[in-house]
Amino acid sequence: MLQRRIFALLCAVAFAAVVTGCAPMSDEDRTAQEAGGTVPWNKPQSWEGGGALGSQMQQFNH
């Protein structure tokens, strides 16, 4: 009897994990993901340059 309850609990947890993982993305979320996120530290600052490669790094950003 205890094994059935444990099995039923595990099935319920697995079902909940699968169902909640299928949430569709909104257009706003999709745009933010394609842009690299919405966190401010994800974008280079104005004073940050290309480093050792200089202006050649601009080619890789597109």
Side-chain angles (χ1 to χ4, degrees):
M1 190 72 169
L2 181 62
Q3 291 176 350
R4 278 189 175 180
R5 287 185 182 180
I6 292 174
F7 180 73
L9 178 65
L10 288 176
C11 286
V13 169
F15 178 75
V18 169
V19 170
T20 58
C22 297
M25 292 180 65
S26 68
D27 290 337
E28 183 178 316
D29 292 339
R30 189 174 294 112
T31 303
Q33 183 181 13
E34 290 172 359
T38 58
V39 291
W41 56 82
N42 216 15
K43 300 175 185 168
Q45 297 294 317
S46 60
W47 51 266
E48 291 180 315
L53 296 178
S55 63
Q56 293 179 358
M57 282 298 288
Q58 296 299 323
Q59 296 174 1
F60 298 114
N61 290 338
H62 299 287

